[in-house]
Amino acid sequence: MSSETSGNDLEKSNIDPELTFVGNDVPAPVTYKPELDQLPRKLNGIHIQMFAIAGVIGTGLFLGLGQLLAITGPLGAILVFLLVGTVAFTSLASVTEMAAFAPISGSFSQYAARWVDPALGFAVGWNYFYTLAITLPAEITAAAVVIGYWDHNPDHVSIYVAVFIVLAYATNLLGPRFFGNAEVVFATLKLMLVAGLVIGGLVINLGGGPDHKRHGFEYWNNPGPLVSSLEPGADGRFIGLLLAIIYAAFSMCGMEIVTLAAAETRNPRKNLIKAMRTVFFRIFFCYIITTLIVGMLVPSNDPDLFKATGNAGQSPFVLVFKRAGISVLPDIVNAVVLTSAFSSANGMLFSASRLLYGLGVQGHAPKFVTRVTRSGLPYVAILLGGLLSFLAFLNANHKSGHVFKWFANLSAVGSLLNWLMIGVTYLRYYYGLKAQGIEREGIYGIYRSRLQPYGAMWVIFWSIFFILVSGIAVFWNFNGSDFVASYINLPVYALLYIGWKVYQRTKIIPLTQLDFVTGIPSIEETEDAGFVEKAKGIRKVRDFL
């Protein structure tokens, strides 16, 4: 089959309108309904770059890093971030290649339906929608915790939660360009905070603070580089690493949400590829370097660190400057962390609404969720996508740290299931192209990772491992709510897949019958002239990765 085959040629044939030719001219069910895909391309390159940054840097880093330090220590946090970072990177490499090949609504839920099994596409789509939707109250919870730095009255928590919900809805309902411009501002603030922490932290560590004390690695000696959790000694230190995985996963999950904006992006292939090719450096700088700096200046046993057992706590970024005795800066840093929480909530609502819209386009959700305004805004999907944000009002009756832990576990395990299915779908895509005689290097001239297919296999292995150990703490001190938050996603996911499979009688699609044509826009339809360029110099190294 030629990669230049167009959907229009198929329409002229005498094929059943519910079928299309794929692979070796064998009919297969259509899951994508391009006539419902009405989202205009209003986001540009800077929007996508900043959205990608905003997807990397959020409350999982600014607030969750405190939990990592308390659980596993500074060295443990770095090791966990390094491991989870490799999985995040290879997962994003996999989905970016598929998104650059097919920049359409629904992202990888659509890819799972096309290239694995329509039932898997249904399960992936609804699981990811739920994951994004449940992350929204997690971010709002984090915002309420951050405000607690100034306002210690617990009766005011509900007021702040309500304000953030209204603002998140307003930002999204004002349109994608307004949302994109807001994300540019918020992402810039995040980058400035990370850069400020690194520079300021180094100055303080070398004796440039008000007390002129040189810290070095004193907190790596006492209380130590690794922390024992649940058990004493070496066993406890290993368990601490396992416990930290879920928080690291929550911090890094969500990098792939930038691909959900592909259908609304100008030059989507070019801009998604540019965002992908800088992700390694964002992971290294934003997570590894900042964790190293914070670990040198904040001990893992600091009582002010935000923990899952408390109702209040502070970002380790704030504690860096507070412990150094620098006035004003802690308030400024806390304000930027607050904007980060709001930005993350914005991004989750945007992504959840676009995924819900994509499910409607695929026929996996009611058709009314695809309703748009005259300007192309999916207002119904936005209104429905934010409903779970009201769960953040649980903060009024429970400890904020515990509520954040529930939401973080639900979100992280849901995201790990998505990483797992991204790896599975990519392998089907990779070997499907081979089975149909289509060379990856020859089609569309787009992003190709030299790590594949082993990168996808790496994602699959570690995603399964991370999911299995996500709730390991409950086996030492069993708690029903924590156990449910850690593992409820698994039976729900199985029910979604099996239920749709039985209801629709779907089958796993043979590799030779995978659909690489229907509804996929050509380069000429989405990109400006000169998109395909030959890499030179340092770009060859970057493109190799």
Side-chain angles (χ1 to χ4, degrees), residues 411-426:
S411 173
V413 175
S415 295
L416 289 170
L417 284 168
N418 290 324
W419 283 1
L420 172 61
M421 294 309 161
I422 285 174
V424 171
T425 303
Y426 181 84

Side-chain angles (χ1 to χ4, degrees), residues 32 46 146 163 215 401 487 489-491 516 518:
Y32 179 66
I46 188 64
V146 172
V163 169
H215 293 273
Y487 293 110
N489 291 33
L490 299 180
F516 295 112
T518 307

Side-chain angles (χ1 to χ4, degrees), residues 299-440:
S300 58
N301 58 0
D302 190 309
D304 288 331
L305 281 172
F306 176 64
K307 303 181 183 71
T309 55
N311 194 45
Q314 297 170 24
S315 165
F317 284 52
V318 173
L319 290 175
V320 164
F321 298 102
K322 185 178 178 180
R323 290 178 60 88
I326 301 175
S327 59
V328 181
L329 265 183
D331 292 275
I332 295 175
V333 171
N334 203 63
V336 177
V337 173
L338 179 61
T339 66
S340 169
F342 177 61
S343 167
S344 297
N346 270 342
M348 291 304 116
L349 179 53
F350 176 89
S351 302
S353 64
R354 270 44 178 192
L355 192 54
L356 182 59
Y357 179 89
L359 288 170
V361 170
Q362 296 175 55
H364 290 166
K367 186 177 178 180
F368 70 83
V369 302
T370 63
R371 292 177 184 173
V372 297
T373 62
R374 291 182 180 180
S375 62
L377 181 71
Y379 68 97
V380 174
I382 292 173
L383 293 173
L384 294 177
L387 288 181
L388 290 184
S389 64
F390 293 95
L391 290 175
F393 284 107
L394 286 170
N395 288 286
N397 298 317
H398 296 80
K399 293 181 178 180
S400 295
H402 213 137
V403 173
F404 182 81
K405 179 184 176 183
W406 290 339
F407 291 145
N409 283 359
L410 289 168
S411 173
V413 175
S415 295
L416 289 170
L417 284 168
N418 290 324
W419 283 1
L420 172 61
M421 294 309 161
I422 285 174
V424 171
T425 303
Y426 181 84
L427 290 181
R428 294 277 300 174
Y429 161 84
Y430 180 90
Y431 288 110
L433 290 175
K434 277 195 168 186
Q436 296 184 27
I438 303 173
E439 294 294 331
R440 289 169 64 243

